[in-house]
Amino acid sequence: MVPLEQDTSGQWQTTLPSALFFGFEDDQIDFGRQAISRYTAGEPGRLLRSMKSLLGGSFMGDKTQVKNRQYTFDEIIGFFVQSLKSQADKFTGSESSELVSVVMGRPVYFNDTDKKLDKAAEDHLAQIARLAGFKEVSFQYEPIAAAMDYERQVKREELALIIDIGGGTSDFTLIKLSPERHGQNNREEDFLANHGVHLGGTDFDTQLSVNTVMPAFGMGMPLTDKEGLSMPSAYYFDLATWHKIHLLYDRRVLRELKNLRPLVSNKLRLDRLLEILALRKGHQLASMVEQAKIALSLQPEAHVDLAALFNEYQEIDSCAITQTQLQNSLQRDVSKIFSTLDETLNQAGVTHKQIDTVFTTGGSTALPMIQACIDTAFPDAQHIAGDLYNSVGSGLLMEAQLRYG
Ligand SMILES: Nc1ncnc2c1ncn2[C@@H]1O[C@H](COP(=O)(O)OP(=O)(O)OP(=O)(O)O)[C@@H](O)[C@H]1O
Ligand SMILES: [Mg+2]
């Protein structure tokens, strides 16, 4: 694995978060941690995150406005892949040739229900990689890559369940692993099932935000003119969802919200919402909620300092989020994830008891709630927590060595 980016403490990391920042002052594009830190430092510009969730959607071919230019999502993902490749090329040094082959990881489904859109997402990604200069492009399912990584430490044949819960998707693979067959080309017979669902950490952030911070901006407040009617919740779901926040900055939406002002029961809250939008602080709010979620992996309570979002003093308390609120907010998504896991076992006709090892990877598997659900579902299996961020990458690297030597 090659160093791709230095983190804030100057340490080189082998991962590059899929974020991209267009700076409006210097017209520079930055990537990864650098992109996120320029954005959170308050520099004017546009941040794009969770780009993988754009693939597989019906809006894949859409364009988005950045400053005075329109970019297709393909172009934007292309900038990212190009920068990733050029950093990796730099590392391989002038004496070795440029990188020409790539094995790209992919979720089990880019789209849960529409096979055509799923295929289109893979085709788009392959085309983007070719435009970036790769001659040979192939794919591997991310949980299978994680299985290959884990198999290096397997001592005897076992039935393993690989769980990869990341930002956008939860993926499962049921596979027979063995030291004898490790690194062999044809493993078809060992794959028992591969399944997944489009739910992950960014959905958890949305739910947590809607349940805890959005009421401070007027979510759920009654409209005074009609009995039983309350503020439309769609605005708040958008504000709590990374790739939808920018929709609220549209002038038409702002006008709609202003028109509601005479009707709302709590004008202060609506004004707060309008100010957050005027200040373009939606992404910052979302990232504060995400940080609170991550902090709750280690402590019973976390705070979201809402007042820090505003330039002038606001009569607004910091919002405290408890472990229990986190659990309640995630309950529905987590049940769906675990019922998809059950479907994975059903597909293969395997019972929970037959699983020897559960191997976990992906940032969201750090959640105590997820860990607890795994312990309850598989009390007899050995439970191995893999590297949260590097397991899939290591497996893809092994696959690339096998395919392209
Ligand atoms: N300690 C933690 N507790 C809870 N969630 C965490 C923790 N650390 C990271 N996460 C979450 O993990 C997610 C990122 O995980 P990861 O990097 O594995 O995703 P990804 O591979 O980019 O996405 P995907 O696999 O879905 O395409 C984010 O939603 C992040 O908030
Ligand atoms: Mg992942």
PDB file of all heavy atoms in Angstrom, residues 18 49 52 142 164-169 200-202 205 290 293-294 297 362-364 366-367 388-389, ligand 1:
ATOM      1  N   SER A  18     -12.921  10.012  -0.012  1.00  0.00           N
ATOM      2  CA  SER A  18     -13.457  10.469  -1.305  1.00  0.00           C
ATOM      3  C   SER A  18     -14.182  11.801  -1.142  1.00  0.00           C
ATOM      4  O   SER A  18     -15.400  11.890  -1.172  1.00  0.00           O
ATOM      5  CB  SER A  18     -14.371   9.407  -1.910  1.00  0.00           C
ATOM      6  OG  SER A  18     -15.444   9.160  -1.039  1.00  0.00           O
ATOM      7  N   ARG A  49     -18.752  15.354  -1.234  1.00  0.00           N
ATOM      8  CA  ARG A  49     -18.394  14.151  -0.486  1.00  0.00           C
ATOM      9  C   ARG A  49     -19.304  13.021  -0.898  1.00  0.00           C
ATOM     10  O   ARG A  49     -20.233  13.209  -1.641  1.00  0.00           O
ATOM     11  CB  ARG A  49     -18.566  14.400   1.019  1.00  0.00           C
ATOM     12  CG  ARG A  49     -17.268  14.648   1.720  1.00  0.00           C
ATOM     13  CD  ARG A  49     -17.471  14.639   3.224  1.00  0.00           C
ATOM     14  NE  ARG A  49     -17.716  13.289   3.715  1.00  0.00           N
ATOM     15  CZ  ARG A  49     -17.864  13.010   5.010  1.00  0.00           C
ATOM     16  NH1 ARG A  49     -17.813  13.958   5.901  1.00  0.00           N
ATOM     17  NH2 ARG A  49     -18.080  11.770   5.388  1.00  0.00           N
ATOM     18  N   LYS A  52     -19.380   8.199  -4.135  1.00  0.00           N
ATOM     19  CA  LYS A  52     -19.789   6.857  -4.550  1.00  0.00           C
ATOM     20  C   LYS A  52     -21.306   6.696  -4.493  1.00  0.00           C
ATOM     21  O   LYS A  52     -21.875   5.928  -5.259  1.00  0.00           O
ATOM     22  CB  LYS A  52     -19.084   5.801  -3.695  1.00  0.00           C
ATOM     23  CG  LYS A  52     -18.953   4.487  -4.383  1.00  0.00           C
ATOM     24  CD  LYS A  52     -17.815   3.613  -3.851  1.00  0.00           C
ATOM     25  CE  LYS A  52     -17.820   3.470  -2.356  1.00  0.00           C
ATOM     26  NZ  LYS A  52     -16.836   2.495  -1.875  1.00  0.00           N
ATOM     27  N   GLU A 142     -16.139  -5.616  -2.793  1.00  0.00           N
ATOM     28  CA  GLU A 142     -15.334  -5.200  -1.640  1.00  0.00           C
ATOM     29  C   GLU A 142     -15.317  -6.226  -0.499  1.00  0.00           C
ATOM     30  O   GLU A 142     -14.255  -6.490   0.053  1.00  0.00           O
ATOM     31  CB  GLU A 142     -15.796  -3.818  -1.164  1.00  0.00           C
ATOM     32  CG  GLU A 142     -15.354  -2.751  -2.166  1.00  0.00           C
ATOM     33  CD  GLU A 142     -15.977  -1.385  -1.962  1.00  0.00           C
ATOM     34  OE1 GLU A 142     -16.955  -1.275  -1.195  1.00  0.00           O
ATOM     35  OE2 GLU A 142     -15.487  -0.428  -2.580  1.00  0.00           O
ATOM     36  N   ASP A 164     -18.989  -5.781   5.895  1.00  0.00           N
ATOM     37  CA  ASP A 164     -18.339  -4.498   5.588  1.00  0.00           C
ATOM     38  C   ASP A 164     -19.411  -3.409   5.621  1.00  0.00           C
ATOM     39  O   ASP A 164     -20.247  -3.327   4.728  1.00  0.00           O
ATOM     40  CB  ASP A 164     -17.672  -4.592   4.202  1.00  0.00           C
ATOM     41  CG  ASP A 164     -17.073  -3.270   3.729  1.00  0.00           C
ATOM     42  OD1 ASP A 164     -17.074  -2.279   4.502  1.00  0.00           O
ATOM     43  OD2 ASP A 164     -16.580  -3.214   2.580  1.00  0.00           O
ATOM     44  N   ILE A 165     -19.410  -2.619   6.684  1.00  0.00           N
ATOM     45  CA  ILE A 165     -20.394  -1.533   6.795  1.00  0.00           C
ATOM     46  C   ILE A 165     -19.645  -0.209   6.737  1.00  0.00           C
ATOM     47  O   ILE A 165     -18.865   0.119   7.626  1.00  0.00           O
ATOM     48  CB  ILE A 165     -21.224  -1.655   8.098  1.00  0.00           C
ATOM     49  CG1 ILE A 165     -21.822  -3.071   8.208  1.00  0.00           C
ATOM     50  CG2 ILE A 165     -22.336  -0.599   8.128  1.00  0.00           C
ATOM     51  CD1 ILE A 165     -22.680  -3.304   9.440  1.00  0.00           C
ATOM     52  N   GLY A 166     -19.851   0.513   5.634  1.00  0.00           N
ATOM     53  CA  GLY A 166     -19.079   1.742   5.413  1.00  0.00           C
ATOM     54  C   GLY A 166     -19.943   2.981   5.533  1.00  0.00           C
ATOM     55  O   GLY A 166     -20.794   3.077   6.426  1.00  0.00           O
ATOM     56  N   GLY A 167     -19.736   3.927   4.624  1.00  0.00           N
ATOM     57  CA  GLY A 167     -20.485   5.169   4.655  1.00  0.00           C
ATOM     58  C   GLY A 167     -21.807   5.047   3.920  1.00  0.00           C
ATOM     59  O   GLY A 167     -22.825   5.566   4.358  1.00  0.00           O
ATOM     60  N   GLY A 168     -21.795   4.335   2.788  1.00  0.00           N
ATOM     61  CA  GLY A 168     -22.992   4.285   1.952  1.00  0.00           C
ATOM     62  C   GLY A 168     -23.643   2.916   1.858  1.00  0.00           C
ATOM     63  O   GLY A 168     -24.837   2.820   1.605  1.00  0.00           O
ATOM     64  N   THR A 169     -22.853   1.862   2.028  1.00  0.00           N
ATOM     65  CA  THR A 169     -23.426   0.527   1.849  1.00  0.00           C
ATOM     66  C   THR A 169     -22.999  -0.424   2.967  1.00  0.00           C
ATOM     67  O   THR A 169     -21.990  -0.216   3.633  1.00  0.00           O
ATOM     68  CB  THR A 169     -22.987  -0.109   0.499  1.00  0.00           C
ATOM     69  OG1 THR A 169     -21.572  -0.229   0.481  1.00  0.00           O
ATOM     70  CG2 THR A 169     -23.440   0.711  -0.693  1.00  0.00           C
ATOM     71  N   GLY A 200     -25.753   2.847   5.297  1.00  0.00           N
ATOM     72  CA  GLY A 200     -24.463   2.910   5.976  1.00  0.00           C
ATOM     73  C   GLY A 200     -24.356   4.156   6.826  1.00  0.00           C
ATOM     74  O   GLY A 200     -25.383   4.791   7.149  1.00  0.00           O
ATOM     75  N   GLY A 201     -23.139   4.517   7.151  1.00  0.00           N
ATOM     76  CA  GLY A 201     -22.873   5.612   8.083  1.00  0.00           C
ATOM     77  C   GLY A 201     -23.522   6.934   7.720  1.00  0.00           C
ATOM     78  O   GLY A 201     -23.966   7.670   8.607  1.00  0.00           O
ATOM     79  N   THR A 202     -23.618   7.253   6.412  1.00  0.00           N
ATOM     80  CA  THR A 202     -24.229   8.547   6.077  1.00  0.00           C
ATOM     81  C   THR A 202     -25.740   8.519   6.359  1.00  0.00           C
ATOM     82  O   THR A 202     -26.314   9.548   6.708  1.00  0.00           O
ATOM     83  CB  THR A 202     -23.974   8.960   4.608  1.00  0.00           C
ATOM     84  OG1 THR A 202     -24.276   7.871   3.769  1.00  0.00           O
ATOM     85  CG2 THR A 202     -22.533   9.350   4.384  1.00  0.00           C
ATOM     86  N   ASP A 205     -26.070   9.161   9.994  1.00  0.00           N
ATOM     87  CA  ASP A 205     -25.927  10.600  10.279  1.00  0.00           C
ATOM     88  C   ASP A 205     -27.247  11.326  10.036  1.00  0.00           C
ATOM     89  O   ASP A 205     -27.656  12.174  10.834  1.00  0.00           O
ATOM     90  CB  ASP A 205     -24.845  11.235   9.389  1.00  0.00           C
ATOM     91  CG  ASP A 205     -23.468  10.638   9.628  1.00  0.00           C
ATOM     92  OD1 ASP A 205     -23.276  10.014  10.698  1.00  0.00           O
ATOM     93  OD2 ASP A 205     -22.589  10.785   8.755  1.00  0.00           O
ATOM     94  N   GLU A 290     -21.912  14.031  12.475  1.00  0.00           N
ATOM     95  CA  GLU A 290     -21.106  12.825  12.240  1.00  0.00           C
ATOM     96  C   GLU A 290     -20.043  12.673  13.336  1.00  0.00           C
ATOM     97  O   GLU A 290     -19.836  11.577  13.869  1.00  0.00           O
ATOM     98  CB  GLU A 290     -20.442  12.876  10.860  1.00  0.00           C
ATOM     99  CG  GLU A 290     -19.616  11.628  10.575  1.00  0.00           C
ATOM    100  CD  GLU A 290     -18.807  11.706   9.280  1.00  0.00           C
ATOM    101  OE1 GLU A 290     -18.734  12.788   8.660  1.00  0.00           O
ATOM    102  OE2 GLU A 290     -18.231  10.662   8.913  1.00  0.00           O
ATOM    103  N   LYS A 293     -21.570  11.359  16.425  1.00  0.00           N
ATOM    104  CA  LYS A 293     -21.829   9.915  16.302  1.00  0.00           C
ATOM    105  C   LYS A 293     -20.548   9.128  16.591  1.00  0.00           C
ATOM    106  O   LYS A 293     -20.578   8.148  17.338  1.00  0.00           O
ATOM    107  CB  LYS A 293     -22.328   9.612  14.885  1.00  0.00           C
ATOM    108  CG  LYS A 293     -22.431   8.128  14.565  1.00  0.00           C
ATOM    109  CD  LYS A 293     -22.658   7.871  13.082  1.00  0.00           C
ATOM    110  CE  LYS A 293     -21.390   8.086  12.271  1.00  0.00           C
ATOM    111  NZ  LYS A 293     -21.549   7.766  10.841  1.00  0.00           N
ATOM    112  N   ILE A 294     -19.435   9.580  16.000  1.00  0.00           N
ATOM    113  CA  ILE A 294     -18.161   8.880  16.188  1.00  0.00           C
ATOM    114  C   ILE A 294     -17.725   8.968  17.653  1.00  0.00           C
ATOM    115  O   ILE A 294     -17.293   7.972  18.242  1.00  0.00           O
ATOM    116  CB  ILE A 294     -17.089   9.442  15.223  1.00  0.00           C
ATOM    117  CG1 ILE A 294     -17.462   9.050  13.784  1.00  0.00           C
ATOM    118  CG2 ILE A 294     -15.695   8.942  15.585  1.00  0.00           C
ATOM    119  CD1 ILE A 294     -16.587   9.659  12.705  1.00  0.00           C
ATOM    120  N   SER A 297     -19.014   6.413  20.065  1.00  0.00           N
ATOM    121  CA  SER A 297     -18.433   5.061  20.107  1.00  0.00           C
ATOM    122  C   SER A 297     -17.599   4.898  21.371  1.00  0.00           C
ATOM    123  O   SER A 297     -17.350   3.787  21.815  1.00  0.00           O
ATOM    124  CB  SER A 297     -17.524   4.809  18.900  1.00  0.00           C
ATOM    125  OG  SER A 297     -18.280   4.739  17.733  1.00  0.00           O
ATOM    126  N   GLY A 362     -14.798  -1.739   7.672  1.00  0.00           N
ATOM    127  CA  GLY A 362     -15.641  -0.578   7.336  1.00  0.00           C
ATOM    128  C   GLY A 362     -15.860   0.269   8.582  1.00  0.00           C
ATOM    129  O   GLY A 362     -16.081  -0.269   9.680  1.00  0.00           O
ATOM    130  N   GLY A 363     -15.795   1.606   8.398  1.00  0.00           N
ATOM    131  CA  GLY A 363     -15.845   2.540   9.523  1.00  0.00           C
ATOM    132  C   GLY A 363     -17.023   2.333  10.462  1.00  0.00           C
ATOM    133  O   GLY A 363     -16.880   2.437  11.682  1.00  0.00           O
ATOM    134  N   SER A 364     -18.200   1.999   9.906  1.00  0.00           N
ATOM    135  CA  SER A 364     -19.391   1.923  10.761  1.00  0.00           C
ATOM    136  C   SER A 364     -19.413   0.684  11.656  1.00  0.00           C
ATOM    137  O   SER A 364     -20.232   0.629  12.581  1.00  0.00           O
ATOM    138  CB  SER A 364     -20.664   1.975   9.908  1.00  0.00           C
ATOM    139  OG  SER A 364     -20.738   3.206   9.236  1.00  0.00           O
ATOM    140  N   ALA A 366     -17.358   0.160  13.769  1.00  0.00           N
ATOM    141  CA  ALA A 366     -16.862   0.620  15.077  1.00  0.00           C
ATOM    142  C   ALA A 366     -18.001   0.940  16.040  1.00  0.00           C
ATOM    143  O   ALA A 366     -17.784   1.073  17.242  1.00  0.00           O
ATOM    144  CB  ALA A 366     -15.972   1.848  14.899  1.00  0.00           C
ATOM    145  N   LEU A 367     -19.224   1.062  15.522  1.00  0.00           N
ATOM    146  CA  LEU A 367     -20.357   1.402  16.399  1.00  0.00           C
ATOM    147  C   LEU A 367     -20.638   0.282  17.401  1.00  0.00           C
ATOM    148  O   LEU A 367     -20.865  -0.865  17.008  1.00  0.00           O
ATOM    149  CB  LEU A 367     -21.626   1.613  15.566  1.00  0.00           C
ATOM    150  CG  LEU A 367     -21.801   2.949  14.873  1.00  0.00           C
ATOM    151  CD1 LEU A 367     -22.960   2.871  13.891  1.00  0.00           C
ATOM    152  CD2 LEU A 367     -22.026   4.065  15.885  1.00  0.00           C
ATOM    153  N   LEU A 388     -10.397  -1.065  10.077  1.00  0.00           N
ATOM    154  CA  LEU A 388     -11.623  -0.397   9.636  1.00  0.00           C
ATOM    155  C   LEU A 388     -11.527   0.103   8.197  1.00  0.00           C
ATOM    156  O   LEU A 388     -12.491   0.069   7.451  1.00  0.00           O
ATOM    157  CB  LEU A 388     -11.940   0.804  10.535  1.00  0.00           C
ATOM    158  CG  LEU A 388     -12.392   0.555  11.966  1.00  0.00           C
ATOM    159  CD1 LEU A 388     -12.750   1.875  12.623  1.00  0.00           C
ATOM    160  CD2 LEU A 388     -13.579  -0.387  12.037  1.00  0.00           C
ATOM    161  N   TYR A 389     -10.356   0.608   7.822  1.00  0.00           N
ATOM    162  CA  TYR A 389     -10.249   1.291   6.525  1.00  0.00           C
ATOM    163  C   TYR A 389      -9.352   0.606   5.495  1.00  0.00           C
ATOM    164  O   TYR A 389      -9.410   0.944   4.325  1.00  0.00           O
ATOM    165  CB  TYR A 389      -9.729   2.715   6.738  1.00  0.00           C
ATOM    166  CG  TYR A 389     -10.594   3.503   7.674  1.00  0.00           C
ATOM    167  CD1 TYR A 389     -10.150   3.837   8.943  1.00  0.00           C
ATOM    168  CD2 TYR A 389     -11.878   3.872   7.295  1.00  0.00           C
ATOM    169  CE1 TYR A 389     -10.964   4.545   9.810  1.00  0.00           C
ATOM    170  CE2 TYR A 389     -12.694   4.568   8.155  1.00  0.00           C
ATOM    171  CZ  TYR A 389     -12.232   4.905   9.415  1.00  0.00           C
ATOM    172  OH  TYR A 389     -13.044   5.602  10.267  1.00  0.00           O
TER     173      TYR A 389
HETATM  174  N1  LIG B   1     -15.833   5.244  15.441  1.00  0.00           N
HETATM  175  C1  LIG B   1     -16.842   5.300  14.571  1.00  0.00           C
HETATM  176  N2  LIG B   1     -18.114   5.106  14.995  1.00  0.00           N
HETATM  177  C2  LIG B   1     -19.137   5.167  14.127  1.00  0.00           C
HETATM  178  N3  LIG B   1     -19.012   5.407  12.811  1.00  0.00           N
HETATM  179  C3  LIG B   1     -17.777   5.610  12.342  1.00  0.00           C
HETATM  180  C4  LIG B   1     -16.631   5.559  13.186  1.00  0.00           C
HETATM  181  N4  LIG B   1     -15.537   5.795  12.423  1.00  0.00           N
HETATM  182  C5  LIG B   1     -15.991   5.990  11.170  1.00  0.00           C
HETATM  183  N5  LIG B   1     -17.331   5.879  11.110  1.00  0.00           N
HETATM  184  C6  LIG B   1     -18.199   6.026   9.934  1.00  0.00           C
HETATM  185  O1  LIG B   1     -17.755   5.140   8.931  1.00  0.00           O
HETATM  186  C7  LIG B   1     -18.141   5.649   7.654  1.00  0.00           C
HETATM  187  C8  LIG B   1     -16.968   5.550   6.690  1.00  0.00           C
HETATM  188  O2  LIG B   1     -16.571   4.219   6.605  1.00  0.00           O
HETATM  189  P1  LIG B   1     -15.694   3.672   5.399  1.00  0.00           P
HETATM  190  O3  LIG B   1     -14.496   4.536   5.199  1.00  0.00           O
HETATM  191  O4  LIG B   1     -15.501   2.223   5.640  1.00  0.00           O
HETATM  192  O5  LIG B   1     -16.725   3.938   4.197  1.00  0.00           O
HETATM  193  P2  LIG B   1     -16.507   3.844   2.639  1.00  0.00           P
HETATM  194  O6  LIG B   1     -15.700   2.633   2.328  1.00  0.00           O
HETATM  195  O7  LIG B   1     -16.007   5.153   2.154  1.00  0.00           O
HETATM  196  O8  LIG B   1     -18.016   3.686   2.152  1.00  0.00           O
HETATM  197  P3  LIG B   1     -18.754   2.430   1.468  1.00  0.00           P
HETATM  198  O9  LIG B   1     -18.003   1.201   1.841  1.00  0.00           O
HETATM  199  O10 LIG B   1     -20.130   2.441   2.010  1.00  0.00           O
HETATM  200  O11 LIG B   1     -18.743   2.710   0.039  1.00  0.00           O
HETATM  201  C9  LIG B   1     -18.583   7.088   7.855  1.00  0.00           C
HETATM  202  O12 LIG B   1     -19.994   7.139   7.793  1.00  0.00           O
HETATM  203  C10 LIG B   1     -18.109   7.392   9.281  1.00  0.00           C
HETATM  204  O13 LIG B   1     -18.930   8.331   9.939  1.00  0.00           O
END
